[in-house]
PDB file of all heavy atoms in Angstrom:
ATOM      1  N   ILE X  15       1.980 -25.331 -24.523  1.00 93.00           N
ATOM      2  CA  ILE X  15       2.685 -24.940 -23.295  1.00 93.00           C
ATOM      3  C   ILE X  15       3.232 -26.174 -22.586  1.00 93.00           C
ATOM      4  O   ILE X  15       2.556 -27.198 -22.470  1.00 93.00           O
ATOM      5  CB  ILE X  15       1.724 -24.172 -22.362  1.00 93.00           C
ATOM      6  CG1 ILE X  15       1.282 -22.861 -23.010  1.00 93.00           C
ATOM      7  CG2 ILE X  15       2.376 -23.917 -21.005  1.00 93.00           C
ATOM      8  CD1 ILE X  15       2.395 -21.872 -23.273  1.00 93.00           C
ATOM      9  N   ASP X  16       4.468 -26.070 -22.105  1.00 92.00           N
ATOM     10  CA  ASP X  16       5.108 -27.189 -21.393  1.00 92.00           C
ATOM     11  C   ASP X  16       4.836 -27.159 -19.894  1.00 92.00           C
ATOM     12  O   ASP X  16       4.677 -28.205 -19.265  1.00 92.00           O
ATOM     13  CB  ASP X  16       6.626 -27.147 -21.618  1.00 92.00           C
ATOM     14  CG  ASP X  16       6.984 -27.169 -23.092  1.00 92.00           C
ATOM     15  OD1 ASP X  16       6.420 -27.993 -23.828  1.00 92.00           O
ATOM     16  OD2 ASP X  16       7.837 -26.347 -23.502  1.00 92.00           O
ATOM     17  N   ALA X  17       4.827 -25.979 -19.300  1.00 94.00           N
ATOM     18  CA  ALA X  17       4.634 -25.844 -17.855  1.00 94.00           C
ATOM     19  C   ALA X  17       3.981 -24.497 -17.578  1.00 94.00           C
ATOM     20  O   ALA X  17       4.279 -23.503 -18.246  1.00 94.00           O
ATOM     21  CB  ALA X  17       5.956 -25.954 -17.110  1.00 94.00           C
ATOM     22  N   PRO X  43       1.675 -29.769 -16.141  1.00 94.00           N
ATOM     23  CA  PRO X  43       2.566 -29.417 -15.026  1.00 94.00           C
ATOM     24  C   PRO X  43       2.445 -27.927 -14.689  1.00 94.00           C
ATOM     25  O   PRO X  43       2.399 -27.087 -15.594  1.00 94.00           O
ATOM     26  CB  PRO X  43       3.960 -29.735 -15.575  1.00 94.00           C
ATOM     27  CG  PRO X  43       3.729 -30.722 -16.670  1.00 94.00           C
ATOM     28  CD  PRO X  43       2.412 -30.355 -17.278  1.00 94.00           C
ATOM     29  N   ALA X  95       9.156 -29.172 -17.151  1.00 90.00           N
ATOM     30  CA  ALA X  95       9.059 -29.352 -18.600  1.00 90.00           C
ATOM     31  C   ALA X  95       9.962 -30.451 -19.129  1.00 90.00           C
ATOM     32  O   ALA X  95       9.787 -30.909 -20.264  1.00 90.00           O
ATOM     33  CB  ALA X  95       9.392 -28.031 -19.296  1.00 90.00           C
ATOM     34  N   LYS X  98       8.657 -33.646 -21.079  1.00 82.00           N
ATOM     35  CA  LYS X  98       8.137 -33.370 -22.418  1.00 82.00           C
ATOM     36  C   LYS X  98       9.282 -33.117 -23.396  1.00 82.00           C
ATOM     37  O   LYS X  98       9.269 -33.600 -24.541  1.00 82.00           O
ATOM     38  CB  LYS X  98       7.193 -32.169 -22.379  1.00 82.00           C
ATOM     39  CG  LYS X  98       6.478 -31.931 -23.704  1.00 82.00           C
ATOM     40  CD  LYS X  98       5.395 -30.882 -23.549  1.00 82.00           C
ATOM     41  CE  LYS X  98       4.652 -30.668 -24.860  1.00 82.00           C
ATOM     42  NZ  LYS X  98       3.574 -29.653 -24.723  1.00 82.00           N
ATOM     43  N   ARG X 110      14.276 -27.296 -28.115  1.00 81.00           N
ATOM     44  CA  ARG X 110      13.711 -25.953 -28.236  1.00 81.00           C
ATOM     45  C   ARG X 110      13.523 -25.355 -26.848  1.00 81.00           C
ATOM     46  O   ARG X 110      13.593 -26.076 -25.848  1.00 81.00           O
ATOM     47  CB  ARG X 110      12.362 -26.018 -28.963  1.00 81.00           C
ATOM     48  CG  ARG X 110      11.338 -26.906 -28.260  1.00 81.00           C
ATOM     49  CD  ARG X 110       9.938 -26.607 -28.746  1.00 81.00           C
ATOM     50  NE  ARG X 110       8.953 -27.506 -28.158  1.00 81.00           N
ATOM     51  CZ  ARG X 110       8.477 -27.406 -26.921  1.00 81.00           C
ATOM     52  NH1 ARG X 110       8.943 -26.460 -26.110  1.00 81.00           N
ATOM     53  NH2 ARG X 110       7.571 -28.242 -26.475  1.00 81.00           N
ATOM     54  N   VAL X 112      11.834 -24.036 -23.459  1.00 91.00           N
ATOM     55  CA  VAL X 112      10.643 -24.394 -22.692  1.00 91.00           C
ATOM     56  C   VAL X 112       9.602 -23.304 -22.914  1.00 91.00           C
ATOM     57  O   VAL X 112       9.922 -22.111 -22.909  1.00 91.00           O
ATOM     58  CB  VAL X 112      10.986 -24.511 -21.187  1.00 91.00           C
ATOM     59  CG1 VAL X 112       9.715 -24.673 -20.360  1.00 91.00           C
ATOM     60  CG2 VAL X 112      11.939 -25.660 -20.942  1.00 91.00           C
ATOM     61  N   ARG X 113       8.363 -23.718 -23.115  1.00 93.00           N
ATOM     62  CA  ARG X 113       7.278 -22.751 -23.305  1.00 93.00           C
ATOM     63  C   ARG X 113       6.421 -22.711 -22.045  1.00 93.00           C
ATOM     64  O   ARG X 113       5.879 -23.730 -21.620  1.00 93.00           O
ATOM     65  CB  ARG X 113       6.410 -23.145 -24.499  1.00 93.00           C
ATOM     66  CG  ARG X 113       7.140 -23.112 -25.836  1.00 93.00           C
ATOM     67  CD  ARG X 113       6.282 -23.731 -26.909  1.00 93.00           C
ATOM     68  NE  ARG X 113       6.958 -23.779 -28.191  1.00 93.00           N
ATOM     69  CZ  ARG X 113       6.632 -24.616 -29.170  1.00 93.00           C
ATOM     70  NH1 ARG X 113       5.642 -25.476 -28.990  1.00 93.00           N
ATOM     71  NH2 ARG X 113       7.281 -24.597 -30.316  1.00 93.00           N
TER      72      ARG X 113
END
Side-chain angles (χ1 to χ4, degrees):
I15 296 297
D16 304 313
K98 187 171 182 179
R110 59 162 176 77
V112 171
R113 296 171 183 158

